[in-house]
Amino acid sequence: MTTHVSSWQKDLASAFTNPEDLLQYLKINSKQFSSPARHDFSMRVPLSYAACMQKSDLDDPLLKQVLPIANELVNPDEFQNDPVGDLSALTENCIIHKYQGRVLIIITGGCAINCRFCFRRNFPYAEVQLNSQKEITALEYIRKNKSINEVILSGGDPLLISDHKLKDFIQKLSDITHLKRIRIHTRLPIVLPARITPELIDIFKSSSVPIVIVTHCNHANELSKQVMAACQALNQKNITLLNQSVLLKGVNDHAQILQSLSEQLFSAGILPYYLHLLDKAKGTAHFEVSENDAVKIHQSLQHILPGYLVPKLVKEQPKKAAKTLII
Ligand SMILES: *Cc1c(COP(=O)(O)O)cnc(C)c1O
Ligand code: SF4
């Protein structure tokens, strides 16, 4: 029997993993990447994401999110391996139950892209992947806790698992009568839009519990025609689409850039949800925007956009019962 490999899986397998290849593709005549940084956290960039970058521009806001550079080796003390306390909150069954009514499940540690600013870049993924045994205990946990009304599929990227597994898991979740929503936190519609196949949309459509998708997009340039089409296809099936971004120095730390992002998200059928301050993970200090500057940028954004296109400015703090709103 031959195993069917979908086109998105091929795209995934052919992602750039060597910085030299990526720079050559972008016609950048430079060796400005860092091998030790790459060694700490490997590079991974799907072609569909690289295609959204400007050629010959080392300052491109998308390239900056993925190219390993020497600044990652500079580590102030407050930048740690588990900045938001996820490890201490993690139960044996891949569930993080920090907030009232909602649990987050780490479905898989894998991602289609490795974002240099990721707060999970130092996370011991192998230990927290959902396997069939953990799935049983996770479902049991949710069944027993009637206060849980929303399950958040997270990762890594939950949409990296096969259609078959996803369908099966959504089905099992929707059999739990106290669940009101299934939420999926994913960057795949943005970085690998080929993943949004008609078959995947059918899986969402056939769920008896409403599906909410929270995409992760940081810059309007990430919203190519193909990405817009994928999101619009989801939107047309009444799937609620929200977006969260991370405020990143040199990438999107200007009100005008965030304004274009919100406008473009709206055209794709997505409403801005959160604008996160950077989680202080080791290796990410060069992306930090101070809270003061963040507030100023956010205030300018409020002046130039309708309220519903202004994301909430938040940060995540260990042991808090919700994201902390910054005003
Ligand atoms: C962010 C997060 C959630 C979701 O929070 P919302 O404010 O509902 O978006 C849930 N659980 C954990 C562990 C989280 O980190
Ligand atoms: S897609 Fe999300 S989880 Fe994966 S590396 Fe990027 S920020 Fe981290």
Side-chain angles (χ1 to χ4, degrees):
M1 201 178 91
T2 52
T3 330
H4 176 69
V5 178
S6 345
S7 88
W8 70 268
Q9 284 166 323
K10 283 187 202 139
D11 289 355
L12 189 64
S14 63
F16 289 105
T17 51
N18 183 340
E20 285 186 17
D21 294 343
L22 176 63
L23 292 173
Q24 196 181 23
Y25 165 80
L26 293 170
K27 301 193 177 6
I28 296 175
N29 193 5
S30 150
K31 299 250 179 295
Q32 286 204 30
F33 63 90
S34 154
S35 299
R38 181 187 169 202
H39 179 76
D40 281 356
F41 182 51
S42 61
M43 191 193 85
R44 173 180 295 276
V45 186
L47 178 60
S48 45
Y49 190 75
C52 300
M53 296 174 188
Q54 299 294 324
K55 294 272 163 45
S56 314
D57 182 6
L58 196 57
D59 277 333
D60 179 84
L62 279 52
L63 179 60
K64 280 188 173 172
Q65 295 180 53
V66 294
L67 188 69
I69 58 166
N71 280 346
E72 293 174 33
L73 307 168
V74 180
N75 274 304
D77 280 350
E78 71 268 32
F79 284 75
Q80 295 294 331
N81 276 341
D82 183 21
V84 297
D86 269 1
L87 282 183
S88 48
L90 196 62
T91 58
E92 286 144 37
N93 42 28
C94 294
I95 283 186
I96 302 179
H97 193 178
K98 287 207 283 196
Y99 301 166
Q100 167 81 43
R102 291 150 286 169
V103 291
L104 188 146
I105 303 188
I106 310 274
I107 294 282
T108 168
C111 279
I113 188 166
N114 284 348
C115 309
R116 309 312 299 177
F117 53 84
C118 181
F119 77 102
R120 291 208 176 104
R121 54 179 283 159
N122 315 304
F123 217 64
Y125 275 134
E127 296 155 40
V128 292
Q129 301 227 30
L130 197 67
N131 55 29
S132 48
Q133 189 49 46
K134 287 178 180 174
E135 183 186 298
I136 293 170
T137 46
L139 288 165
E140 200 49 36
Y141 181 89
I142 300 165
R143 258 185 227 114
K144 280 198 184 134
N145 282 266
K146 296 236 159 47
S147 68
I148 299 168
N149 55 38
E150 179 166 346
V151 171
I152 300 168
L153 311 188
S154 183
D157 203 307
L159 292 189
L160 275 190
I161 66 171
S162 69
D163 282 359
H164 171 74
K165 280 193 185 157
L166 191 66
K167 186 176 178 167
D168 181 64
F169 197 56
I170 289 179
Q171 175 70 52
K172 286 175 179 155
L173 286 174
S174 35
D175 287 343
I176 302 175
T177 47
H178 52 272
L179 280 197
K180 294 190 180 135
R181 288 170 299 277
I182 296 172
R183 194 197 312 181
I184 301 176
H185 278 203
T186 173
R187 191 146 156 73
L188 279 197
I190 309 299
V191 302
L192 198 75
R195 176 64 184 105
I196 311 304
T197 57
E199 293 78 21
L200 181 71
I201 295 177
D202 276 347
I203 294 173
F204 296 150
K205 223 181 66 180
S206 59
S207 164
S208 55
V209 178
I211 304 275
V212 178
I213 293 184
V214 181
T215 59
H216 174 181
C217 179
N218 294 323
H219 195 286
N221 292 3
E222 294 176 3
L223 293 160
S224 63
K225 274 196 187 128
Q226 201 194 354
V227 171
M228 302 279 287
C231 296
Q232 284 155 353
L234 289 164
N235 195 41
Q236 277 158 15
K237 299 292 177 190
N238 292 329
I239 293 161
T240 303
L241 292 171
L242 305 171
N243 182 67
Q244 54 182 4
S245 309
V246 182
L247 187 60
L248 299 166
K249 193 172 186 174
V251 172
N252 59 8
D253 56 337
H254 284 286
Q256 285 77 15
I257 293 177
L258 293 171
Q259 177 189 24
S260 314
L261 172 59
S262 278
E263 301 276 12
Q264 197 68 1
L265 285 168
F266 183 77
S267 308
I270 308 174
L271 285 177
Y273 178 38
Y274 280 148
L275 176 61
H276 286 267
L277 290 193
L278 182 74
D279 292 321
K280 297 188 183 196
K282 213 171 155 210
T284 68
H286 59 292
F287 283 117
E288 194 183 21
V289 177
S290 73
E291 199 164 314
N292 259 343
D293 287 346
V295 169
K296 283 189 205 139
I297 294 167
H298 193 252
Q299 281 170 346
S300 313
L301 201 56
Q302 282 184 303
H303 290 146
I304 53 182
L305 280 173
Y308 61 91
L309 291 186
V310 181
K312 291 180 200 164
L313 182 62
V314 292
K315 66 177 172 186
E316 188 159 344
Q317 292 177 297
K319 302 201 168 73
K320 286 278 162 75
K323 312 274 183 251
T324 306
L325 275 179
I326 301 163
I327 23 170

